[in-house]
Amino acid sequence: MDFVIQVDHVTYSYPLAKEPALKQLNVGIERGKFYGVIGENGAGKTSFCALLRGFIPEFYKGNMEGKVLVEGKAISEYGGNIASKIGYVFQNPFTQISGVKDTVFEEVAYGLENMGVPVEEIEKRVVDVMRMTDIEALAEKNPFDLSGGQMQRVALASVIVLEPDILVIDEPTSQLDPEGTESVFAIIKALKERRKTIILVEHKIDLIAEYADEVLVFKDGEIIASGDKQKILSDMSLAEKDVALPQVAILGNKLKQMGLPITEIPVTEKEAVEIIRKALKERGM
């Protein structure tokens, strides 16, 4: 397997914390795959994102055991260059916006300026990514005059423009309405089609079911389940551990218990329609 990130026996505690935030994590992130990260609030998902980005323990300090490798090299060895390899999108776009630029165009270009990219290349890359994220019309606006959905798209653009191969995205739709959520996931879908490696924390489980390849389930700082999304999101035993599952999976399981000949529990609406229709046909209904 082609692992771009390997987390090896990592346990981490924040400064002054009595209990570890992450416990004995062992996981390999394969190149080009989309990982959905789910679990209750406080389960360790955001800490996991910070770990993958190198903020733990370098920025947050605390005590860490184990190691994180990016393409076979310790993440700490990359220093500031890690930004061009792993892009990180915060849950709150206000955290992402620099606050030192007056327009959206300048904000998206800011990271490239800091990296010393030539002006001509900056302009081309910024225009391209603004087109991709559908924020061209916002180019001359102040980033802080935008709606939450618009600001989140700007935050995504400011990371995508650096052209990282890996993106760690922490609950990008938690503060957005359905329209804002749809616009953000249109961008994430485009990134998936470009075969970027994506690690996404998201509470909207139906979106994880639709887009993810693999799912990591966190509880109390541990990964309690991981694997193919179909297997994980149809595992009813996880619901007993307060893990959210797609409503169609719960419906499919109930119909199966009622005797409907369902061979596979659906995890998306499209799958549910096909599987239930087939089962009803077999019953002559």
Side-chain angles (χ1 to χ4, degrees):
M1 292 184 181
D2 185 12
F3 291 124
V4 289
I5 300 178
Q6 292 173 281
V7 178
D8 185 11
H9 291 90
V10 168
T11 294
Y12 170 75
S13 299
Y14 287 101
L16 306 179
K18 295 180 179 180
E19 294 289 331
L22 301 172
K23 305 169 187 174
Q24 282 297 305
L25 297 189
N26 288 286
V27 62
I29 303 297
E30 291 185 58
R31 189 184 307 276
K33 279 195 172 183
F34 188 144
Y35 291 80
V37 182
I38 65 174
E40 299 174 284
N41 288 331
K45 304 184 300 297
T46 293
S47 296
F48 179 61
C49 289
L51 175 75
L52 297 184
R53 181 51 183 79
F55 294 152
I56 286 176
E58 301 300 323
F59 179 77
Y60 291 112
K61 304 305 179 182
N63 181 52
M64 179 178 130
E65 299 173 3
K67 57 186 177 181
V68 178
L69 303 178
V70 177
E71 296 189 335
K73 187 166 76 172
I75 194 169
S76 58
E77 295 181 28
Y78 286 92
N81 294 328
I82 196 65
S84 61
K85 188 168 288 289
I86 302 178
Y88 187 79
V89 180
F90 291 87
Q91 178 177 348
N92 188 338
F94 282 95
T95 308
Q96 199 97 30
I97 302 300
S98 69
V100 300
K101 296 295 184 179
D102 294 326
T103 70
V104 166
F105 188 97
E106 294 172 327
E107 180 65 32
V108 176
Y110 187 48
L112 295 176
E113 291 175 354
N114 288 337
M115 293 169 62
V117 176
V119 173
E120 297 79 8
E121 184 178 348
I122 289 177
E123 291 181 353
K124 180 182 183 304
R125 285 167 65 171
V126 170
V127 169
D128 287 346
V129 80
M130 289 183 72
R131 186 176 297 120
M132 174 194 173
T133 53
D134 193 26
I135 57 172
E136 291 173 284
L138 308 177
E140 297 303 317
K141 290 185 175 292
N142 187 295
F144 291 107
D145 290 336
L146 306 179
S147 68
Q150 291 171 331
M151 191 175 289
Q152 190 61 278
R153 279 185 283 152
V154 171
L156 275 162
S158 68
V159 172
I160 296 168
V161 76
L162 302 178
E163 299 181 350
D165 291 326
I166 306 163
L167 289 113
V168 180
I169 308 173
D170 187 9
E171 293 196 57
T173 71
S174 64
Q175 302 176 56
L176 304 184
D177 59 17
E179 183 178 356
T181 296
E182 184 178 344
S183 67
V184 167
F185 263 83
I187 298 168
I188 292 173
K189 180 182 179 182
L191 293 169
K192 180 179 180 180
E193 290 171 349
R194 295 185 181 190
R195 299 295 297 166
K196 296 289 186 181
T197 304
I198 301 171
I199 300 97
L200 172 74
V201 175
E202 181 57 65
H203 277 293
K204 295 167 184 170
I205 197 68
D206 291 336
L207 294 173
I208 292 292
E210 183 175 352
Y211 290 99
D213 300 310
E214 305 263 335
V215 174
L216 305 176
V217 184
F218 274 76
K219 188 175 181 65
D220 298 330
E222 300 179 78
I223 296 177
I224 61 171
S226 64
D228 176 77
K229 72 173 179 184
Q230 185 72 41
K231 174 186 173 184
I232 299 301
L233 297 181
S234 62
D235 183 353
M236 293 299 120
S237 70
L238 291 174
E240 299 172 4
K241 300 175 182 178
D242 298 319
V243 176
L245 297 177
Q247 288 299 307
V248 292
I250 296 170
L251 172 63
N253 183 63
K254 287 183 178 179
L255 292 175
K256 186 175 182 179
Q257 290 177 340
M258 292 168 61
L260 204 63
I262 291 176
T263 56
E264 184 178 57
I265 302 297
V267 298
T268 67
E269 289 186 14
K270 182 180 179 181
E271 290 174 356
V273 170
E274 293 175 354
I275 290 171
I276 294 173
R277 182 178 292 162
K278 180 180 178 182
L280 291 174
K281 186 177 181 180
E282 287 183 16
R283 278 292 181 88
M285 300 172 69

